């Protein structure tokens, strides 16, 4: 007599796309050699979102891809609803793929009576039924600890650094952290670029005016060098544009910017355009519209990295191994 039932089914990877940036999901699907599961997704007249999958999801290894672009709250809720529909449709495992983790800058209380919104996001995904999260370059890696489950944290630095290496190999480079929070990342960049020098900007934010940077000072040797400012995201552009001005004032020969997430909220495009920054290199964790596509902007595809990580998760492989010592 048999000791148990043997299932004839094998794991089945299924990809589900939010409406935030479907082109990115399609690229990820193409990298994986699959297609996205068809779904009916629309808004009710009062703004509520509706989702229904057109195929059975029972027993699948589900990956819900959502890009947290504007309107971010809508796309966040849509991703929650997508997870809920998968849970109620008996998906076996649900991974939320958010290349840009929403609310990640709100990861601590700066002052009394503030929320910790990044934690709330993690709790809501857990409550909806997510088993894991896959994301790229969190604002701070501690956010991983907010989610009660595995978080696969990918790094765009090898991709961005490869572009810098290829384009500026003949220059005297200095990697610049635009604030103290990015110094650790800048150290990894300098290792990647063959041990070039590091500088950082001392940045002070105005605590009562959101997005307002109030003071800057450069620490490190930047005179006559090509400075690469590295950052996790460009939101209004205030940080990198102000950093570039400080670097030029300190004698920098040229300034390049590399950042993972192009949030590009107003007035970022105008500020970058009018700045003396030579090139801004981003990934497409968030969509960049044709109007935002400045001549000095280079956008690298994040899809191959995300697709590789999805494959590793599906096949119970190793995501850490993708980074060959670049993580941390
Ligand atoms: C701040 O700590 C972050 O790392 C970025 O520097 C910041 O979010 C960029 O925002 P903005 O472009 O509005 O200055």
């Amino acid at each position: 007599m048999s000791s148990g039932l043997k299932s004839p089914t094998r794991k089945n990877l299924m990809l589900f796309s939010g409406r935030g940036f479907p082109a990115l999901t399609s690229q990820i699907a193409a990298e994986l050699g699959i297609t996205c599961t068809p779904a009916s997704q629309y808004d009710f007249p009062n703004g509520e979102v509706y989702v229904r999958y057109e195929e059975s999801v029972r027993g699948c290894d589900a990956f819900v891809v959502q890009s947290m672009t504007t309107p971010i709250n809508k796309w966040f809720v849509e991703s929650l609803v997508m997870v809920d529909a998968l849970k109620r449709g008996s998906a076996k495992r649900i991974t939320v793929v958010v290349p840009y983790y929403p609310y990640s800058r709100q990861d601590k209380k700066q002052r009394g009576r503030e929320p910790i919104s990044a934690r709330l996001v993690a709790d809501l995904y857990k409550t909806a039924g997510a088993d894991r999260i896959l994301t790229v370059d969190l604002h701070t890696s501690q956010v991983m600890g907010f989610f009660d489950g595995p978080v696969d944290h990918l790094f765009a630095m090898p991709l961005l650094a490869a572009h810098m290496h290829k384009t500026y190999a003949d220059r005297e480079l200095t990697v610049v952290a635009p604030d103290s929070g990015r110094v650790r990342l800048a150290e990894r960049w300098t290792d990647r670029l063959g041990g070039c020098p590091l500088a950082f900007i001392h940045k002070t934010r105005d605590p009562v005016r959101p997005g307002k940077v109030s003071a800057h000072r450069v620490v490190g040797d930047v005179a006559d060098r090509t400075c690469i400012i590295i950052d996790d995201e460009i939101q209004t552009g205030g940080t990198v544009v102000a950093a570039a001005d400080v670097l030029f004032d300190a004698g920098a020969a040229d300034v390049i910017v590399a950042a993972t997430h192009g949030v590009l909220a107003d007035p970022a495009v105008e500020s970058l355009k009018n700045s003396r920054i030579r090139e801004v290199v981003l990934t497409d964790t968030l969509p960049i519209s044709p109007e935002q596509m400045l001549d000095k902007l280079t956008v690298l595809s994040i899809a191959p990295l995300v697709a590789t990580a999805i494959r590793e998760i599906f096949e119970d492989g190793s995501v850490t191994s993708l980074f060959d010592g670049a993580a941390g």
Side-chain angles (χ1 to χ4, degrees), residues 105 139 179 182 203 205 231-239:
R105 293 204 304 183
H139 180 61
D179 54 40
R182 287 310 121 196
K203 177 176 91 170
R205 277 197 182 274
D231 213 346
D232 57 332
E233 66 172 62
I234 298 181
Q235 187 134 167
T236 63
T239 299

Side-chain angles (χ1 to χ4, degrees), residues 100 105 138-140 178-182 203 205 210-213 230-242 261 263-268 272:
Y100 178 68
R105 293 204 304 183
L138 287 163
H139 180 61
T140 51
D179 54 40
S180 54
R182 287 310 121 196
K203 177 176 91 170
R205 277 197 182 274
K212 213 73 204 146
V213 173
I230 50 101
D231 213 346
D232 57 332
E233 66 172 62
I234 298 181
Q235 187 134 167
T236 63
T239 299
V240 293
V241 169
H261 310 293
V263 182
L264 303 184
D266 274 345
L272 293 171

